[in-house]
Amino acid sequence: MAGVLSGFTTIWALAALGYVLARLRFLGDQAPRVLGQLVFSVAGPALLFTTLSRTSLDRIVTGASLAFAASAIVVAVLYALVARLVWRRDARTVTIGTLGASYVNAGNMGLAIAAYVLGDVSLVVPVLLFQLLIFGPIALAVLDLASGQGRPSAARLALLPVRNPLMIASAAGILVAATGWHPPDLLLEPFELVGAAAVPAALLAFGMSLPGARPLRGGPDAPERYLAVTLKVVVQPLLAYLIGRLVLDLPDHQVFAAVITAALPTAQNVFVFALRYRTAESLARDVVMLSTLVSALVMVLAAVFLV
């Protein structure tokens, strides 16, 4: 319980600081966008490289991670179908909403929850890898292609990984881990220093976007917002439980790990992506905010009934 509350306290403390800075106009009106670009292009890649380069590859696939991945894919497909076929949203808006419904905060909240609730930080590593190497790159490729003009050429498709800093950093980190090479501290220290800014910068950018925000307001994107939050914090954990218990027949501790990781709130990176591609920014912000509030209750309930 303490790990859940501690993790959320950290998130909201930094978001509150960003809110105060924005209200005081301390860093100017463009600060959220600048910080978002910093996270996307510099600090985020540095953090991914240092994290993945030290990951043991034999911990990538576990029963809990399979249940999590299956639940994430199902809710992503559900949201995308409704947003595209029922609401007729464009590809970029559908992608941001789909990420809001399925892309969890594994890097910040996930590490705290894994350490203090699950008792094993490595349990969140497969979730990070799934999102960073499969789920995230696919979404970013869609956003990148949808942001261009006309039909993308084969050359542009082939160059997508080279143009995305997060993809490059992830691939480099996995390559280092696969070779078994341990880079000297002198080489890694600059990456660690820059990467340490990724999470707080993302949280500050999120907080700076909050003045004037009304996540419970009506409006044209209200149905999308509530669908994404419901899928994220209610449907995805429930699916992870059913898949882990009934389909994979996992032991209790792995079922609990699958449910807790699936119940994590929407990652701040979704808001960073929205800033980067200048699309559905209010939707991303509101989904992150509401899911962070509601998921705390869901994880506490999961701990009460499954532990």
Side-chain angles (χ1 to χ4, degrees), residues 116-190:
Y116 295 106
V117 177
L118 302 178
D120 185 0
V121 172
S122 67
L123 288 173
V124 82
V125 170
V127 175
L128 279 167
L129 294 178
F130 170 73
Q131 295 193 154
L132 297 175
L133 300 180
I134 300 175
F135 211 15
I138 291 174
L140 290 172
V142 173
L143 287 169
D144 193 67
L145 292 174
S147 299
Q149 300 294 326
R151 185 172 180 174
S153 65
R156 186 169 179 232
L157 287 172
L159 290 174
L160 271 178
V162 181
R163 298 168 53 199
N164 190 301
L166 296 174
M167 292 185 189
I168 296 171
S170 298
I174 288 294
L175 180 62
V176 171
T179 61
W181 178 50
H182 299 285
D185 292 340
L186 185 63
L187 177 63
L188 283 181
E189 281 179 0

Side-chain angles (χ1 to χ4, degrees), residues 135-287:
F135 211 15
I138 291 174
L140 290 172
V142 173
L143 287 169
D144 193 67
L145 292 174
S147 299
Q149 300 294 326
R151 185 172 180 174
S153 65
R156 186 169 179 232
L157 287 172
L159 290 174
L160 271 178
V162 181
R163 298 168 53 199
N164 190 301
L166 296 174
M167 292 185 189
I168 296 171
S170 298
I174 288 294
L175 180 62
V176 171
T179 61
W181 178 50
H182 299 285
D185 292 340
L186 185 63
L187 177 63
L188 283 181
E189 281 179 0
F191 289 93
E192 291 175 344
L193 284 173
V194 175
V199 171
L203 289 170
L204 287 173
F206 170 61
M208 289 178 181
S209 73
L210 295 181
R214 297 171 55 202
L216 297 178
R217 72 190 186 285
D221 67 346
E224 298 165 79
R225 181 195 321 139
Y226 293 131
L227 176 62
V229 172
T230 301
L231 288 173
K232 175 78 266 322
V233 300
V234 178
V235 177
Q236 189 175 352
L238 180 60
L239 283 173
Y241 175 81
L242 294 175
I243 293 169
R245 181 69 75 195
L246 302 180
V247 179
L248 300 178
D249 193 25
L250 300 177
D252 290 345
H253 71 281
Q254 288 204 36
V255 172
F256 180 57
V259 171
I260 288 296
T261 51
L264 287 167
T266 303
Q268 287 85 10
N269 277 350
V270 176
F271 178 64
V272 172
F273 297 157
L275 286 176
R276 169 64 177 79
Y277 290 96
R278 297 174 180 262
T279 187
E281 295 175 21
S282 63
L283 174 63
R285 177 194 61 214
D286 294 343
V287 169

